[in-house]
Amino acid sequence: EVALTSERFGVQRLPFSRVGDRDVAFFERVLPGRVVTDPEELKPFNVDWLQSVRGCSQLMLKPQTTAEVSQILRYCYERNLAVNPQGGNTGLVGGSVPVFDEIILSTALMNRIISFDKVSGILVCQAGCILEKLNEYLEEQGFVMPLDLGAKGSCHVGGNVATNAGGLRLLRYGSLRGTVLGLEVVLADGSALDCLASLRKDNTGYDLKQLFIGSEGTLGVITAVSILCPQKPKAVNLAFLGCQSFAKVLETFTTCRAMLGEILSAYEFMDEKCVELVERHLKLSSPVTGSPFYVLIETSGSNSTHDEEKLNSFLEQAMTSGLATDGTVATDDKKIKASTWFIRISSIHQALWSLRERITEALTHDGYVYKYDISLPVGKLYDLVTDTRARLGRSAKNVVGYGHLGDGNLHLNITAESYSHSLLEAIEPFVYEWTARCDGSISAEHGLGFKKKQFIGYSKAKEAVLLMQRFKAMLDPKGILNPYKMLPS
């Protein structure tokens, strides 16, 4: 069995009450037909997506409204029952599953779109809406979500906001901290906080929503979101290039940013080992081979002729100057350009993105995965992979690096045949110390959850952590919301 229980991590259960028959009876009155107690049905909600941590909750609640969430939390607060808010359970740091027997509060049935304003592009929806479904709805209206993730088919927008998810469009549209305009949140004692503004500008007092964005369900349960959505680009082009060194990857990015300017929407990189794993485990095939590094460049704009001219100029520069040695391009145009490396078929858009988006999935097929999500100065991004690979030698199966180069975000992944405590000790705190020396962040977009909470000190000063703990104590004095997560014990 892959998943590790809390005992293996040496965590002690806090003195919360235990769920009894009278509690279940109360919840069944509040949520008729939406209370889950069957152990078999609960199994997948007790284990994270990576199958790396496992809790033992005996109760899952599925509210449909904010009023129901309020009733649930008011009762849990009075009874001192711990609660684990859960969206699509696609988190990668063990933040979305119980550690012990916390009640799972699922937002799965809170999936209603409340409103959408076509003039302003502002969407208001419940927290349980699936990201991909929202994007499909918006595309019909000529808009898109400002967020795109590999897990978009199952992640919930409330969970995205609670973890301040980054993803593939951050380079173009910025972080959720900028695009989320308002939130509705239920606090630990059951009181509902309505900050569901639909305004671009509101300068009245403290910006309370920012406290909950990235708080990982420890300060309140997000029940609804107001988010600013950009218009759907009329022209989207992709280029997939091979580079002979990481220095070339960096130089290509500098050239790309200078020549593509405002239409550059994504710049992703991956090493050859990533592509090899995707091909081996998922049977995908890369149209470009034989390079140590690959970059995926996306442009999105409003004028296909203008965008293609810009992209063609950039590609010509990249190829003639030796920045890239091989490549493929997919544009919205169906015409074939007479060049051996230049394929113009829109159907390969998804195939190219799959090479990048499904790396996480491919890694899970390679064995037990140690995942690190790091922000670093762009020039030093791949040095951490090289140094980790040298440090671990043959004790690791694979050490790979990929990520959002435009944002300085490296995903360092190490695989082994099975979990090994000695291998973990060789990786941690080495990776965190290395990151701290470069003034980086030990979590660029995944959050801290259960697995990384004890390492927050590598990225935040003691005073900052103390202030966070004071916020937690003020908003959740009994500590019932997502305990054992995000903040150090």
Side-chain angles (χ1 to χ4, degrees):
E1 189 170 54
V2 178
L4 304 177
T5 59
S6 51
E7 288 82 357
R8 290 276 293 277
F9 284 101
V11 179
Q12 298 298 311
R13 185 185 184 277
L14 293 172
F16 298 113
S17 301
R18 295 187 185 273
V19 174
D21 291 343
R22 68 175 178 137
D23 302 314
V24 175
F26 171 82
F27 293 128
E28 281 175 341
R29 285 196 300 275
V30 175
L31 309 168
R34 291 175 281 131
V35 175
V36 180
T37 55
D38 176 44
E40 279 304 308
E41 206 177 328
L42 284 166
K43 264 186 182 175
F45 303 98
N46 267 307
V47 183
D48 70 329
W49 184 80
L50 287 170
Q51 296 196 318
S52 61
V53 286
R54 183 186 69 240
C56 52
S57 176
Q58 295 158 12
L59 179 66
M60 180 166 70
L61 307 176
K62 300 171 96 172
Q64 290 177 320
T65 66
T66 301
E68 288 176 345
V69 176
S70 285
Q71 273 187 280
I72 291 164
L73 288 186
R74 193 178 302 119
Y75 181 87
C76 290
Y77 189 74
E78 287 168 5
R79 281 274 296 119
N80 195 34
L81 291 164
V83 177
N84 176 85
Q86 188 177 93
N89 196 13
T90 60
L92 299 173
V93 288
S96 59
V97 293
V99 177
F100 293 97
D101 56 347
E102 299 91 275
I103 294 168
I104 298 170
L105 178 58
S106 169
T107 56
L109 299 182
M110 302 185 73
N111 56 5
R112 190 167 59 88
I113 292 171
I114 298 165
S115 66
F116 178 65
D117 186 327
K118 277 190 174 185
V119 178
S120 64
I122 296 169
L123 172 78
V124 182
C125 65
Q126 286 186 300
C129 290
I130 290 171
L131 182 60
E132 192 168 48
K133 298 286 185 196
L134 288 177
N135 206 60
E136 286 167 4
Y137 168 83
L138 288 167
E139 284 196 352
E140 289 173 12
Q141 323 279 329
F143 287 78
V144 292
M145 285 294 283
L147 177 69
D148 188 19
L149 305 168
K152 59 192 164 204
S154 49
C155 66
H156 296 185
V157 70
N160 296 152
V161 174
T163 55
N164 189 30
L168 306 159
R169 287 180 176 160
L170 193 136
L171 181 63
R172 178 65 177 273
Y173 300 125
S175 75
L176 286 172
R177 293 199 179 278
T179 53
V180 170
L181 303 178
L183 293 176
E184 181 182 65
V185 182
V186 179
L187 302 179
D189 65 1
S191 55
L193 181 66
D194 185 356
C195 293
L196 203 58
S198 294
L199 301 168
R200 293 286 300 273
K201 301 173 94 170
D202 176 11
N203 212 6
T204 52
Y206 304 125
D207 191 0
L208 294 177
K209 70 175 182 290
Q210 293 295 347
L211 264 182
F212 301 97
I213 300 172
S215 68
E216 303 189 48
T218 62
L219 299 180
V221 177
I222 295 169
T223 53
V225 177
S226 169
I227 191 163
L228 181 66
C229 302
Q231 283 196 291
K232 183 182 178 182
K234 291 186 173 69
V236 177
N237 302 310
L238 281 180
F240 190 81
L241 308 177
C243 296
Q244 290 304 306
S245 67
F246 191 71
K248 297 282 189 194
V249 171
L250 293 173
E251 209 180 325
T252 303
F253 176 59
T254 307
T255 307
C256 175
R257 197 168 42 178
M259 295 185 73
L260 298 178
E262 79 291 345
I263 65 168
L264 178 63
S265 53
Y267 190 97
E268 301 287 313
F269 93 97
M270 63 208 86
D271 61 23
E272 61 182 338
K273 186 59 75 173
C274 290
V275 176
E276 183 190 309
L277 291 173
V278 166
E279 289 184 320
R280 187 195 318 161
H281 295 301
L282 305 179
K283 309 303 177 200
L284 301 181
S285 61
S286 171
V288 181
T289 56
S291 296
F293 294 94
Y294 299 92
V295 295
L296 181 62
I297 299 162
E298 183 188 75
T299 67
S300 52
S302 58
N303 186 315
S304 57
T305 307
H306 166 266
D307 291 4
E308 284 185 39
E309 281 176 8
K310 277 189 144 181
L311 185 59
N312 289 345
S313 298
F314 158 70
L315 291 168
E316 197 173 321
Q317 172 70 18
M319 298 302 282
T320 55
S321 63
L323 292 178
T325 49
D326 197 1
T328 267
V329 173
T331 79
D332 287 332
D333 191 354
K334 296 287 201 302
K335 288 178 285 185
I336 300 291
K337 187 166 174 110
S339 171
T340 54
W341 66 280
F342 205 44
I343 307 167
R344 290 168 161 273
I345 307 166
S346 65
S347 62
I348 70 168
H349 268 245
Q350 190 53 49
L352 290 179
W353 264 120
S354 291
L355 291 170
R356 164 61 186 88
E357 285 185 317
R358 297 183 67 189
I359 293 170
T360 303
E361 184 186 345
L363 284 158
T364 62
H365 291 281
D366 203 52
Y368 187 86
V369 190
Y370 302 83
K371 300 189 81 66
Y372 299 91
D373 161 48
I374 308 288
S375 271
L376 287 167
V378 181
K380 296 177 179 176
L381 209 64
Y382 201 74
D383 291 348
L384 177 55
V385 183
T386 309
D387 288 359
T388 304
R389 198 175 276 151
R391 176 180 171 85
L392 300 180
R394 292 188 175 182
S395 61
K397 189 175 176 184
N398 282 302
V399 179
V400 307
Y402 64 99
H404 319 293
L405 189 119
D407 314 325
N409 182 183
L410 169 73
H411 294 310
L412 167 69
N413 284 246
I414 297 137
T415 64
E417 290 297 346
S418 59
Y419 173 78
S420 158
H421 192 67
S422 61
L423 180 55
L424 181 67
E425 286 183 328
I427 302 166
E428 298 176 9
F430 167 78
V431 165
Y432 301 132
E433 289 170 347
W434 198 105
T435 302
R437 281 198 301 274
C438 296
D439 298 318
S441 168
I442 65 158
S443 181
E445 59 181 3
H446 293 168
L448 295 164
F450 175 71
K451 293 183 186 175
K452 309 282 166 83
K453 63 171 188 165
Q454 295 299 128
F455 302 109
I456 191 172
Y458 287 101
S459 292
K460 289 288 184 288
K462 283 179 185 173
E463 295 79 9
V465 176
L466 184 63
L467 189 57
M468 290 180 202
Q469 288 169 327
R470 286 166 66 187
F471 278 131
K472 170 73 172 170
M474 178 182 71
L475 290 170
D476 181 16
K478 293 186 177 181
I480 66 166
L481 287 178
N482 223 10
Y484 322 103
K485 314 284 177 62
M486 202 175 90
L487 294 175
S489 304

